[in-house]
Each structure stands twice: as C-alpha cells, then as structure tokens.
PDB file of all heavy atoms in Angstrom:
ATOM      1  N   ILE A1103       8.600  14.387  -7.658  1.00 94.00           N
ATOM      2  CA  ILE A1103       7.777  13.854  -8.754  1.00 94.00           C
ATOM      3  C   ILE A1103       8.669  13.447  -9.952  1.00 94.00           C
ATOM      4  O   ILE A1103       8.457  12.392 -10.551  1.00 94.00           O
ATOM      5  CB  ILE A1103       6.743  14.968  -9.228  1.00 94.00           C
ATOM      6  CG1 ILE A1103       5.709  15.152  -8.097  1.00 94.00           C
ATOM      7  CG2 ILE A1103       6.065  14.572 -10.535  1.00 94.00           C
ATOM      8  CD1 ILE A1103       4.848  16.363  -8.306  1.00 94.00           C
ATOM      9  N   GLU A1104       9.643  14.282 -10.309  1.00 95.00           N
ATOM     10  CA  GLU A1104      10.507  13.938 -11.391  1.00 95.00           C
ATOM     11  C   GLU A1104      11.181  12.573 -11.174  1.00 95.00           C
ATOM     12  O   GLU A1104      11.207  11.747 -12.031  1.00 95.00           O
ATOM     13  CB  GLU A1104      11.586  15.024 -11.544  1.00 95.00           C
ATOM     14  CG  GLU A1104      12.612  14.750 -12.611  1.00 95.00           C
ATOM     15  CD  GLU A1104      13.688  15.796 -12.676  1.00 95.00           C
ATOM     16  OE1 GLU A1104      13.497  16.950 -12.306  1.00 95.00           O
ATOM     17  OE2 GLU A1104      14.817  15.423 -13.145  1.00 95.00           O
ATOM     18  N   ASN A1105      11.694  12.391 -10.022  1.00 95.00           N
ATOM     19  CA  ASN A1105      12.436  11.127  -9.660  1.00 95.00           C
ATOM     20  C   ASN A1105      11.432   9.948  -9.533  1.00 95.00           C
ATOM     21  O   ASN A1105      11.787   8.810  -9.925  1.00 95.00           O
ATOM     22  CB  ASN A1105      13.325  11.309  -8.455  1.00 95.00           C
ATOM     23  CG  ASN A1105      14.522  12.122  -8.822  1.00 95.00           C
ATOM     24  OD1 ASN A1105      15.423  11.640  -9.441  1.00 95.00           O
ATOM     25  ND2 ASN A1105      14.511  13.403  -8.446  1.00 95.00           N
ATOM     26  N   PHE A1106      10.276  10.192  -8.953  1.00 95.00           N
ATOM     27  CA  PHE A1106       9.287   9.122  -8.848  1.00 95.00           C
ATOM     28  C   PHE A1106       8.882   8.565 -10.198  1.00 95.00           C
ATOM     29  O   PHE A1106       8.739   7.386 -10.426  1.00 95.00           O
ATOM     30  CB  PHE A1106       8.067   9.534  -8.045  1.00 95.00           C
ATOM     31  CG  PHE A1106       6.995   8.477  -8.090  1.00 95.00           C
ATOM     32  CD1 PHE A1106       7.180   7.294  -7.363  1.00 95.00           C
ATOM     33  CD2 PHE A1106       5.872   8.614  -8.900  1.00 95.00           C
ATOM     34  CE1 PHE A1106       6.233   6.281  -7.485  1.00 95.00           C
ATOM     35  CE2 PHE A1106       4.955   7.626  -8.977  1.00 95.00           C
ATOM     36  CZ  PHE A1106       5.095   6.411  -8.266  1.00 95.00           C
ATOM     37  N   LEU A1107       8.674   9.454 -11.181  1.00 95.00           N
ATOM     38  CA  LEU A1107       8.230   9.046 -12.526  1.00 95.00           C
ATOM     39  C   LEU A1107       9.302   8.154 -13.160  1.00 95.00           C
ATOM     40  O   LEU A1107       8.949   7.177 -13.813  1.00 95.00           O
ATOM     41  CB  LEU A1107       7.895  10.249 -13.356  1.00 95.00           C
ATOM     42  CG  LEU A1107       6.623  11.022 -12.988  1.00 95.00           C
ATOM     43  CD1 LEU A1107       6.520  12.303 -13.723  1.00 95.00           C
ATOM     44  CD2 LEU A1107       5.381  10.142 -13.106  1.00 95.00           C
ATOM     45  N   LEU A1108      10.519   8.453 -12.946  1.00 96.00           N
ATOM     46  CA  LEU A1108      11.596   7.619 -13.482  1.00 96.00           C
ATOM     47  C   LEU A1108      11.537   6.262 -12.796  1.00 96.00           C
ATOM     48  O   LEU A1108      11.670   5.214 -13.434  1.00 96.00           O
ATOM     49  CB  LEU A1108      12.951   8.286 -13.298  1.00 96.00           C
ATOM     50  CG  LEU A1108      14.150   7.605 -13.946  1.00 96.00           C
ATOM     51  CD1 LEU A1108      13.925   7.464 -15.463  1.00 96.00           C
ATOM     52  CD2 LEU A1108      15.414   8.355 -13.635  1.00 96.00           C
ATOM     53  N   TYR A1109      11.334   6.228 -11.504  1.00 97.00           N
ATOM     54  CA  TYR A1109      11.218   4.985 -10.763  1.00 97.00           C
ATOM     55  C   TYR A1109      10.018   4.185 -11.248  1.00 97.00           C
ATOM     56  O   TYR A1109      10.113   2.988 -11.485  1.00 97.00           O
ATOM     57  CB  TYR A1109      11.080   5.317  -9.238  1.00 97.00           C
ATOM     58  CG  TYR A1109      10.855   4.117  -8.367  1.00 97.00           C
ATOM     59  CD1 TYR A1109      11.942   3.384  -7.909  1.00 97.00           C
ATOM     60  CD2 TYR A1109       9.583   3.742  -7.988  1.00 97.00           C
ATOM     61  CE1 TYR A1109      11.758   2.275  -7.067  1.00 97.00           C
ATOM     62  CE2 TYR A1109       9.372   2.631  -7.165  1.00 97.00           C
ATOM     63  CZ  TYR A1109      10.464   1.912  -6.730  1.00 97.00           C
ATOM     64  OH  TYR A1109      10.228   0.816  -5.913  1.00 97.00           O
ATOM     65  N   LEU A1110       8.889   4.871 -11.404  1.00 96.00           N
ATOM     66  CA  LEU A1110       7.666   4.163 -11.835  1.00 96.00           C
ATOM     67  C   LEU A1110       7.850   3.531 -13.205  1.00 96.00           C
ATOM     68  O   LEU A1110       7.340   2.415 -13.444  1.00 96.00           O
ATOM     69  CB  LEU A1110       6.470   5.208 -11.894  1.00 96.00           C
ATOM     70  CG  LEU A1110       5.161   4.637 -12.465  1.00 96.00           C
ATOM     71  CD1 LEU A1110       4.633   3.543 -11.573  1.00 96.00           C
ATOM     72  CD2 LEU A1110       4.167   5.744 -12.601  1.00 96.00           C
ATOM     73  N   SER A1111       8.585   4.202 -14.072  1.00 96.00           N
ATOM     74  CA  SER A1111       8.818   3.648 -15.426  1.00 96.00           C
ATOM     75  C   SER A1111       9.491   2.322 -15.389  1.00 96.00           C
ATOM     76  O   SER A1111       9.326   1.424 -16.281  1.00 96.00           O
ATOM     77  CB  SER A1111       9.626   4.666 -16.276  1.00 96.00           C
ATOM     78  OG  SER A1111      10.994   4.687 -15.921  1.00 96.00           O
ATOM     79  N   LYS A1112      10.271   2.069 -14.357  1.00 97.00           N
ATOM     80  CA  LYS A1112      10.955   0.748 -14.172  1.00 97.00           C
ATOM     81  C   LYS A1112      10.083  -0.212 -13.359  1.00 97.00           C
ATOM     82  O   LYS A1112      10.009  -1.345 -13.641  1.00 97.00           O
ATOM     83  CB  LYS A1112      12.324   0.949 -13.579  1.00 97.00           C
ATOM     84  CG  LYS A1112      13.235   1.792 -14.453  1.00 97.00           C
ATOM     85  CD  LYS A1112      14.465   2.210 -13.764  1.00 97.00           C
ATOM     86  CE  LYS A1112      15.281   3.151 -14.602  1.00 97.00           C
ATOM     87  NZ  LYS A1112      16.245   3.934 -13.861  1.00 97.00           N
ATOM     88  N   ALA A1113       9.549   0.334 -12.295  1.00 96.00           N
ATOM     89  CA  ALA A1113       8.823  -0.499 -11.303  1.00 96.00           C
ATOM     90  C   ALA A1113       7.536  -1.087 -11.878  1.00 96.00           C
ATOM     91  O   ALA A1113       7.188  -2.204 -11.509  1.00 96.00           O
ATOM     92  CB  ALA A1113       8.463   0.330 -10.043  1.00 96.00           C
ATOM     93  N   VAL A1114       6.920  -0.449 -12.808  1.00 96.00           N
ATOM     94  CA  VAL A1114       5.618  -0.910 -13.377  1.00 96.00           C
ATOM     95  C   VAL A1114       5.839  -2.219 -14.128  1.00 96.00           C
ATOM     96  O   VAL A1114       4.877  -3.007 -14.317  1.00 96.00           O
ATOM     97  CB  VAL A1114       4.967   0.132 -14.248  1.00 96.00           C
ATOM     98  CG1 VAL A1114       5.702   0.346 -15.573  1.00 96.00           C
ATOM     99  CG2 VAL A1114       3.521  -0.235 -14.468  1.00 96.00           C
ATOM    100  N   LEU A1115       7.042  -2.500 -14.558  1.00 97.00           N
ATOM    101  CA  LEU A1115       7.301  -3.731 -15.299  1.00 97.00           C
ATOM    102  C   LEU A1115       7.371  -4.988 -14.371  1.00 97.00           C
ATOM    103  O   LEU A1115       7.191  -6.082 -14.834  1.00 97.00           O
ATOM    104  CB  LEU A1115       8.592  -3.629 -16.106  1.00 97.00           C
ATOM    105  CG  LEU A1115       8.589  -2.574 -17.210  1.00 97.00           C
ATOM    106  CD1 LEU A1115       9.909  -2.520 -17.917  1.00 97.00           C
ATOM    107  CD2 LEU A1115       7.442  -2.792 -18.190  1.00 97.00           C
ATOM    108  N   GLY A1116       7.537  -4.749 -13.132  1.00 97.00           N
ATOM    109  CA  GLY A1116       7.701  -5.856 -12.199  1.00 97.00           C
ATOM    110  C   GLY A1116       6.428  -5.998 -11.290  1.00 97.00           C
ATOM    111  O   GLY A1116       5.416  -5.407 -11.526  1.00 97.00           O
ATOM    112  N   SER A1117       6.637  -6.718 -10.247  1.00 96.00           N
ATOM    113  CA  SER A1117       5.540  -6.953  -9.279  1.00 96.00           C
ATOM    114  C   SER A1117       5.519  -5.799  -8.275  1.00 96.00           C
ATOM    115  O   SER A1117       6.546  -5.158  -8.047  1.00 96.00           O
ATOM    116  CB  SER A1117       5.673  -8.272  -8.554  1.00 96.00           C
ATOM    117  OG  SER A1117       6.835  -8.291  -7.736  1.00 96.00           O
ATOM    118  N   VAL A1118       4.362  -5.576  -7.706  1.00 96.00           N
ATOM    119  CA  VAL A1118       4.180  -4.555  -6.659  1.00 96.00           C
ATOM    120  C   VAL A1118       3.556  -5.352  -5.500  1.00 96.00           C
ATOM    121  O   VAL A1118       2.332  -5.665  -5.521  1.00 96.00           O
ATOM    122  CB  VAL A1118       3.279  -3.386  -7.082  1.00 96.00           C
ATOM    123  CG1 VAL A1118       3.051  -2.423  -5.964  1.00 96.00           C
ATOM    124  CG2 VAL A1118       3.838  -2.699  -8.318  1.00 96.00           C
ATOM    125  N   GLN A1119       4.338  -5.713  -4.518  1.00 96.00           N
ATOM    126  CA  GLN A1119       3.882  -6.542  -3.456  1.00 96.00           C
ATOM    127  C   GLN A1119       3.098  -5.782  -2.380  1.00 96.00           C
ATOM    128  O   GLN A1119       3.500  -4.727  -1.969  1.00 96.00           O
ATOM    129  CB  GLN A1119       5.080  -7.258  -2.790  1.00 96.00           C
ATOM    130  CG  GLN A1119       5.724  -8.274  -3.673  1.00 96.00           C
ATOM    131  CD  GLN A1119       4.780  -9.398  -4.154  1.00 96.00           C
ATOM    132  OE1 GLN A1119       4.036  -9.989  -3.338  1.00 96.00           O
ATOM    133  NE2 GLN A1119       4.779  -9.667  -5.441  1.00 96.00           N
ATOM    134  N   ASP A1120       1.966  -6.354  -2.011  1.00 95.00           N
ATOM    135  CA  ASP A1120       1.118  -5.797  -0.971  1.00 95.00           C
ATOM    136  C   ASP A1120       1.896  -5.767   0.326  1.00 95.00           C
ATOM    137  O   ASP A1120       2.354  -6.742   0.779  1.00 95.00           O
ATOM    138  CB  ASP A1120      -0.103  -6.710  -0.812  1.00 95.00           C
ATOM    139  CG  ASP A1120      -1.103  -6.195   0.229  1.00 95.00           C
ATOM    140  OD1 ASP A1120      -0.917  -5.063   0.724  1.00 95.00           O
ATOM    141  OD2 ASP A1120      -2.029  -6.970   0.550  1.00 95.00           O
ATOM    142  N   ARG A1121       2.041  -4.579   0.875  1.00 94.00           N
ATOM    143  CA  ARG A1121       2.770  -4.355   2.086  1.00 94.00           C
ATOM    144  C   ARG A1121       2.100  -5.047   3.289  1.00 94.00           C
ATOM    145  O   ARG A1121       2.742  -5.342   4.285  1.00 94.00           O
ATOM    146  CB  ARG A1121       2.958  -2.898   2.409  1.00 94.00           C
ATOM    147  CG  ARG A1121       3.894  -2.242   1.447  1.00 94.00           C
ATOM    148  CD  ARG A1121       3.925  -0.755   1.597  1.00 94.00           C
ATOM    149  NE  ARG A1121       5.170  -0.228   1.028  1.00 94.00           N
ATOM    150  CZ  ARG A1121       6.163   0.250   1.728  1.00 94.00           C
ATOM    151  NH1 ARG A1121       6.104   0.366   3.024  1.00 94.00           N
ATOM    152  NH2 ARG A1121       7.267   0.652   1.120  1.00 94.00           N
ATOM    153  N   LYS A1122       0.812  -5.273   3.183  1.00 93.00           N
ATOM    154  CA  LYS A1122       0.056  -5.945   4.328  1.00 93.00           C
ATOM    155  C   LYS A1122       0.205  -7.436   4.174  1.00 93.00           C
ATOM    156  O   LYS A1122      -0.185  -8.166   5.113  1.00 93.00           O
ATOM    157  CB  LYS A1122      -1.394  -5.555   4.265  1.00 93.00           C
ATOM    158  CG  LYS A1122      -1.622  -4.051   4.458  1.00 93.00           C
ATOM    159  CD  LYS A1122      -3.066  -3.719   4.334  1.00 93.00           C
ATOM    160  CE  LYS A1122      -3.295  -2.228   4.391  1.00 93.00           C
ATOM    161  NZ  LYS A1122      -4.664  -1.839   4.042  1.00 93.00           N
ATOM    162  N   GLY A1123       0.690  -7.941   3.079  1.00 91.00           N
ATOM    163  CA  GLY A1123       0.816  -9.362   2.876  1.00 91.00           C
ATOM    164  C   GLY A1123      -0.417 -10.153   2.622  1.00 91.00           C
ATOM    165  O   GLY A1123      -0.476 -11.353   2.780  1.00 91.00           O
ATOM    166  N   ILE A1124      -1.447  -9.433   2.263  1.00 94.00           N
ATOM    167  CA  ILE A1124      -2.806 -10.061   2.051  1.00 94.00           C
ATOM    168  C   ILE A1124      -3.027 -10.455   0.569  1.00 94.00           C
ATOM    169  O   ILE A1124      -3.431 -11.539   0.256  1.00 94.00           O
ATOM    170  CB  ILE A1124      -3.912  -9.140   2.536  1.00 94.00           C
ATOM    171  CG1 ILE A1124      -3.730  -8.925   4.051  1.00 94.00           C
ATOM    172  CG2 ILE A1124      -5.290  -9.745   2.237  1.00 94.00           C
ATOM    173  CD1 ILE A1124      -4.619  -7.823   4.601  1.00 94.00           C
ATOM    174  N   GLN A1125      -2.726  -9.495  -0.322  1.00 93.00           N
ATOM    175  CA  GLN A1125      -3.099  -9.659  -1.728  1.00 93.00           C
ATOM    176  C   GLN A1125      -1.978 -10.120  -2.615  1.00 93.00           C
ATOM    177  O   GLN A1125      -2.204 -10.434  -3.795  1.00 93.00           O
ATOM    178  CB  GLN A1125      -3.643  -8.346  -2.284  1.00 93.00           C
ATOM    179  CG  GLN A1125      -4.952  -7.873  -1.607  1.00 93.00           C
ATOM    180  CD  GLN A1125      -5.439  -6.546  -2.202  1.00 93.00           C
ATOM    181  OE1 GLN A1125      -5.112  -6.222  -3.330  1.00 93.00           O
ATOM    182  NE2 GLN A1125      -6.178  -5.892  -1.397  1.00 93.00           N
ATOM    183  N   GLY A1126      -0.770 -10.238  -2.166  1.00 95.00           N
ATOM    184  CA  GLY A1126       0.338 -10.595  -3.007  1.00 95.00           C
ATOM    185  C   GLY A1126       0.706  -9.528  -4.001  1.00 95.00           C
ATOM    186  O   GLY A1126       0.836  -8.356  -3.618  1.00 95.00           O
ATOM    187  N   ASP A1127       0.858  -9.860  -5.246  1.00 95.00           N
ATOM    188  CA  ASP A1127       1.212  -8.906  -6.284  1.00 95.00           C
ATOM    189  C   ASP A1127      -0.001  -8.042  -6.688  1.00 95.00           C
ATOM    190  O   ASP A1127      -1.008  -8.528  -7.125  1.00 95.00           O
ATOM    191  CB  ASP A1127       1.738  -9.624  -7.534  1.00 95.00           C
ATOM    192  CG  ASP A1127       2.286  -8.702  -8.592  1.00 95.00           C
ATOM    193  OD1 ASP A1127       2.304  -7.459  -8.360  1.00 95.00           O
ATOM    194  OD2 ASP A1127       2.655  -9.198  -9.678  1.00 95.00           O
ATOM    195  N   LEU A1128       0.167  -6.714  -6.472  1.00 96.00           N
ATOM    196  CA  LEU A1128      -0.928  -5.775  -6.756  1.00 96.00           C
ATOM    197  C   LEU A1128      -0.913  -5.369  -8.265  1.00 96.00           C
ATOM    198  O   LEU A1128      -1.889  -4.782  -8.698  1.00 96.00           O
ATOM    199  CB  LEU A1128      -0.791  -4.526  -5.884  1.00 96.00           C
ATOM    200  CG  LEU A1128      -0.821  -4.774  -4.421  1.00 96.00           C
ATOM    201  CD1 LEU A1128      -0.453  -3.529  -3.631  1.00 96.00           C
ATOM    202  CD2 LEU A1128      -2.160  -5.305  -3.934  1.00 96.00           C
ATOM    203  N   ASN A1129       0.149  -5.655  -8.945  1.00 95.00           N
ATOM    204  CA  ASN A1129       0.250  -5.273 -10.332  1.00 95.00           C
ATOM    205  C   ASN A1129      -0.331  -6.398 -11.231  1.00 95.00           C
ATOM    206  O   ASN A1129       0.407  -7.295 -11.658  1.00 95.00           O
ATOM    207  CB  ASN A1129       1.705  -4.969 -10.718  1.00 95.00           C
ATOM    208  CG  ASN A1129       1.827  -4.368 -12.109  1.00 95.00           C
ATOM    209  OD1 ASN A1129       0.881  -4.254 -12.836  1.00 95.00           O
ATOM    210  ND2 ASN A1129       3.042  -3.976 -12.443  1.00 95.00           N
TER     211      ASN A1129
END
C-alpha cells in the first residue's frame, strides 16, 4: 500500500490505458 500510493501519485497525472484495448484512456 505504501509503495502503491507513491506510484498512484505519479500515475494519476498520465493516461491509464484500458488493458482490454476497448476504452482507450480510462483516466
């Protein structure tokens, strides 16, 4: 959890690509 929150703090600024390739950027 500690490390994920640090990751999220950076990742939320970018795109979050749909792993199924259907919706594109989920953010």
Side-chain angles (χ1 to χ4, degrees):
I1103 292 168
E1104 178 183 334
N1105 287 285
F1106 172 73
L1107 290 171
L1108 187 59
Y1109 177 85
L1110 176 63
S1111 73
K1112 298 169 188 163
V1114 73
L1115 297 178
S1117 66
V1118 178
Q1119 292 301 311
D1120 180 9
R1121 290 172 159 250
K1122 297 175 188 172
I1124 298 170
Q1125 297 180 24
D1127 186 5
L1128 302 171
N1129 189 354

